[in-house]
Amino acid sequence: MTNLTSTNGKQNFNRVPEVTIDFWLIKLMAVTMGETAADYLAVNLGLGLMATSLIMTAVLAVALILQFMQKRYVPWAYWSAVVLISIVGTLITDNLVDNFKVPLEVTTIVFTAALIATFAIWYGTERTLSIHSIFTTRRETFYWLAILFTFALGTAAGDLVAEKFELGFVTTGVIFGAIIALVAVSYYFLNLDAILSFWLACIFTRPLGASLGDFLSQPVEYGRLGFGTVVTSILFLGCIIAIVIYMSVVYQRDYGLDEAERRT
């Protein structure tokens, strides 16, 4: 567990998890569920994009309030926020494209600029972009804003490649999966900056997850598996819950050991 002792002696804990294989596994599932759940709410339930966006934004606001209240990494609070921000990030891009007729090229550029601006202000204010030092409310605010823009950008870029360039979601998934693999190789063997590697992977897991979600949920006649948005969403939600429970058990064990060590 990462922590920091402030000048007044108060112990502060990092509010986001360590980046492990568990992190990336649940992150991919969260973005996949973000795609299928957004489609289910907007299309299958007939709520429409705007109503779905307003409802899910309100739910996300509650989840983020709970997350900010924790003052440390708590698996259920953190991952609830991730799943919901994945859905909202998807809906933001879909609204701009479908309801406001903003071209995918424009949304991709706009969200790229928004993400760069977030990083610039974050670094200018805090002098670091490290996710291993999210100890304050201000840093956590920058973190979640960046996460939101990575989801929105990933949605825009993925749809641009799959739909505008007419490559299809399967091919798009393969392309972005290969990019993620390249980022991983560059990080582990070519000394690519850790912070840059993390945020690139965050962006590209979104279109990879969307491609996976569409492949599982779309009809068989389109060359997909035809599970539907309900089954796909429930499947990934169940996997997410199982992993979060596992993470909670491991976290409580490690946190308990850490507390015991500080008392001795």
Side-chain angles (χ1 to χ4, degrees), residues 110-124 129 142 145 149:
V110 167
F111 286 126
T112 298
L115 185 58
I116 292 173
T118 300
F119 287 143
I121 298 171
W122 182 356
Y123 187 81
L129 297 177
F142 283 125
L145 187 61
F149 285 140

Side-chain angles (χ1 to χ4, degrees), residues 30 73 85 110 141 145 159 162 173 225 229 236 246-247 253 257:
Y73 167 61
I85 209 168
V110 167
T141 300
L145 187 61
D159 289 350
L225 295 184
T229 55
F236 280 94
Y246 167 76
M247 286 179 160
R253 181 196 65 195
L257 290 174

Side-chain angles (χ1 to χ4, degrees), residues 4 22 34 40 51 63 78 124 127 153 168 185 202 205 214 216 252:
L4 175 71
D22 294 336
Y40 172 71
Y78 176 86
R127 310 311 300 174
L153 173 57
V185 170
C202 276
T205 50
D214 284 325
L216 292 172
Q252 288 298 327

Side-chain angles (χ1 to χ4, degrees), residues 158-239:
D159 289 350
L160 178 65
V161 174
E163 298 176 12
K164 192 74 174 182
F165 297 162
E166 298 183 346
L167 294 182
F169 285 103
V170 174
T171 302
T172 299
V174 172
I175 291 173
F176 284 105
I179 293 174
I180 292 171
L182 180 61
V183 170
V185 170
S186 299
Y187 169 69
Y188 285 109
F189 300 104
L190 301 177
N191 296 319
L192 182 65
D193 181 75
I195 294 174
L196 176 61
S197 300
F198 173 81
W199 289 110
L200 285 175
C202 276
I203 294 170
F204 294 132
T205 50
R206 175 60 188 79
L208 175 61
S211 300
L212 178 59
D214 284 325
F215 180 72
L216 292 172
S217 63
Q218 295 302 311
V220 175
E221 55 264 33
Y222 296 142
R224 312 296 192 264
L225 295 184
F227 290 160
T229 55
V230 177
V231 174
T232 304
S233 297
I234 292 175
L235 174 65
F236 280 94
L237 179 60
C239 293

Side-chain angles (χ1 to χ4, degrees), residues 5-26:
T5 302
S6 63
T7 54
N8 62 5
K10 182 181 177 181
Q11 197 76 14
N12 295 310
F13 296 94
N14 199 18
R15 303 182 186 185
V16 303
E18 295 294 322
V19 181
T20 62
I21 186 64
D22 294 336
F23 175 94
W24 289 116
L25 181 60
I26 197 171

